[in-house]
Amino acid sequence: NSDERSAPTVAMLLSGGVDSSVALNLLKRQGYSVTAFYLKIWLEDEVAHLGQCPWEDDYRVCQDVCAQAGVPLETVSLQKEYKESVISYTVHEAERGRTPNPDIMCNSRVKFGCFYDAIEGRGFDFVASGHYAQLVNDTDAEGQRRLLRAPDPVKDQSYFLCALTQTQLKRILFPIGHLQKSEVRELAEEFDLPNKKRPDSQGLCFLGKVKFDEFLAAYLGTRPGDIVDASTGDILGKHNGVWYHTVGQRKGLGKVLNPLATSRGPWYI
């Protein structure tokens, strides 16, 4: 109908989780013309041996959510781009003993980077996601957008969006960014979403159920070395590679420290 044709168009990033599913339904309720996109970034070939393919379940849920909402769903494969821009960065930083933040790279280079390129020419007015963050017009600089924290301090994801440029921010909608997680769960019940009971996912988007240490082991292997007390020079244990640890770490050191050293803890890297 003519209303549908004149409505602003949105490319909605759908993951299969409750947050993006609620965001999609809010956009529909607000009168937007929505097309959902599932980004396939799982690296089947490289880490298939580490566990089952996690994206099949997610995609099935996306299909159910879109069928219920009457929204078309498309899949965009960005595996090559993801490997080049996020995986290579993650491995490179970890190998040098630095702590990578793949989510920041994923948002700036893939979800709101390569994906923009993939849908270029389709004429979408906006790109939306289920992130917990808020965007407002900057009162000091005309035409600029400001990225603000979400009111839910636990779920706030503004930090992971900090590398987005003004060009990227100008096209983004965060439909649930102003809500508490509890309110999003209530909306999931109200919309009677097929995934309303689905638990929140944790960890890195490309790893699925694979542990980060296992992923690093597949790419970097081991390079053992001594763990040394910075103040006395005493050797406290042996690590399997600096990339398995991070500055300030306390948790999980017991398995690489000598028993006597463990009892003198806590230790921090």
Side-chain angles (χ1 to χ4, degrees):
N1 62 39
S2 60
D3 285 352
E4 190 80 357
R5 280 197 299 275
S6 61
T9 55
V10 182
M12 174 74 215
L13 291 164
L14 197 65
S15 67
V18 172
D19 297 333
S20 60
S21 303
V22 167
L24 178 146
N25 278 272
L26 285 176
L27 289 172
K28 280 279 291 180
R29 183 190 273 181
Q30 291 159 12
Y32 289 96
S33 173
V34 183
T35 302
F37 289 87
Y38 179 80
L39 299 190
K40 193 176 164 199
I41 53 179
W42 170 250
L43 308 170
E44 296 120 319
D45 308 333
E46 289 87 342
V47 285
H49 63 286
L50 294 178
Q52 72 216 62
C53 174
W55 64 267
E56 287 171 353
D57 282 348
D58 293 338
Y59 186 64
R60 208 170 296 118
V61 172
C62 289
Q63 288 177 308
D64 294 342
V65 168
C66 289
Q68 183 200 42
V71 165
L73 172 66
E74 298 181 30
T75 306
V76 177
S77 180
L78 295 175
Q79 286 155 294
K80 176 174 168 284
E81 293 85 347
Y82 195 88
K83 186 177 180 184
E84 288 170 1
S85 61
V86 181
I87 299 294
S88 59
Y89 150 82
T90 302
V91 174
H92 181 269
E93 289 293 288
E95 190 173 17
R96 277 149 189 76
R98 295 194 285 259
T99 304
N101 196 321
D103 290 317
I104 288 179
M105 288 296 166
C106 182
N107 286 325
S108 61
R109 296 183 182 180
V110 179
K111 288 179 182 170
F112 302 106
C114 303
F115 177 62
Y116 276 19
D117 300 335
I119 60 168
E120 197 176 356
R122 298 276 300 269
F124 286 104
D125 298 313
F126 301 102
V127 172
S129 74
H131 282 100
Y132 285 86
Q134 302 184 86
L135 285 168
V136 297
N137 290 323
D138 194 330
T139 50
D140 300 325
E142 199 173 334
Q144 301 284 293
R145 303 279 276 159
R146 295 185 71 180
L147 179 67
L148 303 181
R149 283 181 295 189
D152 190 320
V154 175
K155 299 302 293 184
D156 171 59
Q157 290 168 302
S158 55
Y159 174 74
F160 300 105
L161 298 158
C162 66
L164 296 183
T165 65
Q166 281 298 317
T167 306
Q168 291 170 318
L169 291 173
K170 281 171 186 170
R171 289 183 64 190
I172 296 176
L173 298 174
F174 294 134
I176 63 165
H178 61 292
L179 298 172
Q180 299 280 345
K181 178 70 191 198
S182 56
E183 295 174 295
V184 172
R185 285 277 175 199
E186 284 166 19
L187 283 167
E189 293 285 344
E190 186 185 319
F191 290 127
D192 195 24
L193 297 181
N195 58 345
K196 63 186 178 185
K197 301 291 188 202
R198 204 174 194 208
D200 287 353
S201 63
Q202 294 289 323
L204 303 171
C205 40
F206 67 91
L207 287 181
K209 299 176 177 67
V210 177
K211 291 184 172 64
F212 191 51
D213 279 2
E214 293 173 3
F215 163 76
L216 289 175
Y219 277 87
L220 295 172
T222 60
R223 193 185 297 160
D226 292 332
I227 299 172
V228 180
D229 184 334
S231 55
T232 66
D234 294 344
I235 292 174
L236 305 173
K238 274 219 177 312
H239 64 78
N240 294 312
V242 292
W243 42 84
Y244 297 112
H245 303 284
T246 187
V247 173
Q249 178 183 341
R250 170 183 170 181
K251 192 178 174 189
L253 294 180
K255 56 182 181 273
V256 290
L257 292 174
N258 301 329
L260 282 172
T262 309
S263 64
R264 286 165 42 213
W267 295 97
Y268 298 88
I269 291 178

